[in-house]
Amino acid sequence: METLVDVFKALSDETRLRILNLLYERELCVCDVMETLQITQAKASRHLIYLKNAGLVKDRKQAQWAYYSMRNDNKPKFLDSLVYDSLRTIELYQKDMNNLHIWLHQKKDTCCD
C-alpha cells in the first residue's frame, strides 16, 4: 500500500467506493464493473487503476481481459468497517450488490467468460 493519504484520495470518489464495495464480494472483470454500475469501459478502467495505484486492489490479466480483486495483504483495517458497516447499509450500494448478482447470473458466455 502506498501512503494513507493516497488511500483516502482513492476513497474520496463515489464511483471508486461503489467499485470497492463490489470487489469486497469477489474478483471481477472490468466488464462486470461496467455492467453492474452502468458506466463506460474507460471510466471503469480509470477508477480501477486509481484504486490499484493506491494499493487497494490488484489485477491479473487473462487473455484480453483484466480482473481485479481486493489486496488483502496490507489492507487498512478500517476498510472492512467502511464496507460492511457503512456502505452496505446505503440503498445505492445495496442496489449495486443486487445488480452485480443479477449480472453474474445472466452473463453466461458474454464478455470475459
Side-chain angles (χ1 to χ4, degrees):
M1 178 182 1
E2 301 301 317
T3 70
L4 194 55
V5 172
D6 293 331
V7 170
F8 282 115
K9 284 180 183 178
L11 299 176
S12 69
D13 181 87
E14 184 174 58
T15 301
R16 288 192 290 270
L17 286 174
R18 292 173 73 193
I19 292 170
L20 193 73
N21 181 46
L22 298 177
L23 292 176
Y24 254 76
E25 193 69 10
R26 61 177 279 183
E27 178 184 66
L28 297 171
C29 179
V30 174
C31 71
D32 298 329
V33 173
M34 291 171 44
E35 289 294 327
T36 301
L37 301 183
Q38 292 297 292
I39 59 177
T40 64
Q41 183 274 327
K43 186 173 184 177
S45 292
R46 182 176 69 246
H47 286 295
L48 285 160
I49 289 168
Y50 200 106
L51 290 167
K52 179 183 171 191
N53 289 341
L56 295 172
V57 303
K58 59 185 177 180
D59 68 342
R60 70 176 178 88
K61 305 279 196 265
Q62 184 173 335
Q64 73 267 30
W65 307 111
Y67 293 85
Y68 288 83
S69 59
M70 291 299 302
R71 281 190 60 188
N72 292 317
D73 56 337
N74 202 14
K75 178 177 64 175
K77 298 279 186 222
F78 73 87
L79 284 181
D80 292 343
S81 178
L82 173 68
V83 171
Y84 294 120
D85 300 334
S86 297
L87 296 182
R88 292 197 176 173
T89 66
I90 299 170
E91 185 178 348
L92 174 64
Y93 297 88
Q94 292 170 349
K95 182 180 174 188
D96 289 344
M97 294 303 296
N98 187 51
N99 289 344
L100 175 64
H101 293 293
I102 291 168
W103 165 249
L104 293 175
H105 183 70
Q106 293 175 347
K107 82 170 196 175
K108 297 179 174 90
D109 298 325
T110 61
C111 80
C112 54
D113 278 347

